[in-house]
Amino acid sequence: MTSTTARSKTRKPGASKRTRSLANISLTRKEDWNRFVLAPSRTRPDPVTRTELAGLSDTARTQYDRLRRDWHANLGPFITPQFKSVTEQLWNITESNLHDGDRVKGAIALDSEPGVGKTTVAQHFGKQFHLDQLKQEGPRTDGGHERWPVCWVSLTGNTTLRDLNRAMLSFYAHPGADRGTANQYLQRALDCVLNCETRLLVIDDLHFLKWPTAHSIQVSNHFKFIANTFPVTLLFIGVELKNSGLLADRNHSNVVAQTARRTTVIGMDSFPVADDHQRATWRNLLKTIEDRVILAAAGPGMLAEVLPDYLWARTNGHIGSLMTLINRGCSLAIRSGEEVLTEELFDRIGLDAAAEETRAGNFAAIRTGDLKARMN
């Protein structure tokens, strides 16, 4: 392959533009959320052989490797059974929440341990919901305002209720987001929700909200006010929300119980491998991933047939850890020139602390036969 041919082959229309447009965004701002929702599909780099790769000029090789790193860093989402189940429930609840403004809509709490893909599922659902609303209602409201079907808020450590209200207001780029009381922020946010006809309010990392046990009723009342006043479906995302001040209270307060009665808790799981059905699901995920990997020496079965036990032991079945390992592995394979994912290559890559903590025990269980992720 000549350098000219390589350049024309790897420079897909819009690929670099899309990379630039999504590399520096925050979904907590409406303009960036809009870019995320409306961005074209990422262009898959064409696979090449080792010989073709060696024939690229330095410039073409640098560009091709950059496109591959971008591709591997953004693989997915993968439509796993967990993904399909959660998405179906999210659609069912939001589509049935057609209550008039004077009626309270049911809320959703997407609650599970870290690293199983909660936020990824919610982002994908929010994107589809946003597009669906624009298709049905148009980009402008009857009052002439921009329509923003989704408001996405991500909390930080020790967030107060005032910070939460301000974060909602900041999403809409309201000029009053830099000054005011908690109630003033909340009322301004309500004006934005009504004017922009927002129908889904997503609050990510809700477990960061600062609520000592003594204040759980205050927190519950705050969200009760939002549910009663904002014509939106509330989607909470977090860890151990069922045990938080939102849905549980040691004093068994009826106020907190009311919020719990209005909130449907949806869980997500990692990938267990206790039986052949579960192992088949794990294999299918690995097969889907390897089909999307663009490495010159990659081949069928590279992950699904050769490394199912190894990858499960390294990640404990958590898709977040798995995708980090795959992404870093692809980057190392490109940089080192190995161009294939192997156990030896993965052994040179560190993972998150939680995955590393279970690594030794998982490998010991595989050696003794107490655990296996490989199909029979």
Side-chain angles (χ1 to χ4, degrees), residues 152-202:
W152 187 284
V153 176
S154 293
L155 303 187
T156 59
N158 290 325
T159 301
T160 65
L161 293 178
R162 181 176 181 272
D163 295 330
L164 168 62
N165 297 343
R166 183 179 181 180
M168 287 190 290
L169 196 59
S170 295
F171 176 86
Y172 297 98
H174 192 286
D178 60 349
R179 62 189 182 279
T181 65
N183 286 334
Q184 287 172 332
Y185 285 145
L186 189 60
Q187 290 300 323
R188 293 167 191 165
L190 174 59
D191 289 339
C192 290
V193 166
L194 293 176
N195 289 334
C196 299
E197 296 190 3
T198 300
R199 294 293 176 259
L200 178 66
L201 173 57
V202 183

Side-chain angles (χ1 to χ4, degrees), residues 86-322:
V86 171
T87 301
E88 181 180 67
Q89 294 182 74
L90 292 175
W91 275 115
N92 187 44
I93 295 171
T94 53
E95 286 187 330
S96 64
N97 271 350
L98 295 178
H99 309 75
D100 291 339
D102 61 325
R103 296 173 181 264
V104 179
K105 300 177 185 291
I108 309 166
L110 190 50
D111 183 15
S112 67
E113 60 183 318
V116 297
K118 299 184 299 296
T119 299
T120 299
V121 173
Q123 288 174 351
H124 180 79
F125 169 73
K127 174 179 179 177
Q128 298 305 314
F129 181 83
H130 185 108
L131 292 172
D132 187 66
Q133 288 288 298
L134 292 184
K135 181 179 179 180
Q136 293 183 40
E137 306 293 345
R140 292 275 175 177
T141 68
D142 290 342
H145 299 284
E146 293 179 339
R147 186 183 304 280
W148 291 101
V150 177
C151 174
W152 187 284
V153 176
S154 293
L155 303 187
T156 59
N158 290 325
T159 301
T160 65
L161 293 178
R162 181 176 181 272
D163 295 330
L164 168 62
N165 297 343
R166 183 179 181 180
M168 287 190 290
L169 196 59
S170 295
F171 176 86
Y172 297 98
H174 192 286
D178 60 349
R179 62 189 182 279
T181 65
N183 286 334
Q184 287 172 332
Y185 285 145
L186 189 60
Q187 290 300 323
R188 293 167 191 165
L190 174 59
D191 289 339
C192 290
V193 166
L194 293 176
N195 289 334
C196 299
E197 296 190 3
T198 300
R199 294 293 176 259
L200 178 66
L201 173 57
V202 183
I203 302 178
D204 194 12
D205 288 326
L206 184 65
H207 51 275
F208 285 150
L209 187 62
K210 186 177 181 181
W211 55 32
T213 302
H215 294 170
S216 60
I217 293 179
Q218 177 187 354
V219 172
S220 184
N221 281 337
H222 188 79
F223 284 116
K224 179 184 176 184
F225 175 83
I226 292 176
N228 288 344
T229 311
F230 288 44
V232 299
T233 297
L234 278 165
L235 172 54
F236 305 114
I237 308 171
V239 177
E240 296 186 353
L241 297 184
K242 290 180 68 174
N243 300 321
S244 71
L246 176 66
L247 301 176
D249 185 79
R250 293 178 181 176
N251 297 322
H252 305 289
S253 166
N254 287 330
V255 175
V256 176
Q258 185 180 44
T259 301
R261 286 287 184 182
R262 293 174 174 175
T263 304
T264 300
V265 179
I266 301 175
M268 284 192 70
D269 299 320
S270 57
F271 288 82
V273 288
D275 55 46
D276 281 344
H277 176 74
Q278 293 173 347
R279 287 188 280 270
T281 299
W282 178 247
R283 181 188 182 281
N284 289 338
L285 173 61
L286 298 182
K287 182 68 170 64
T288 302
I289 293 172
E290 72 180 30
D291 287 344
R292 299 191 191 182
V293 167
I294 307 297
L295 295 173
M302 175 180 63
L303 302 179
E305 301 298 336
V306 179
L307 298 175
D309 285 340
Y310 176 88
L311 292 173
W312 199 95
R314 286 295 309 271
T315 65
N316 211 39
H318 284 65
I319 194 168
S321 299
L322 174 65

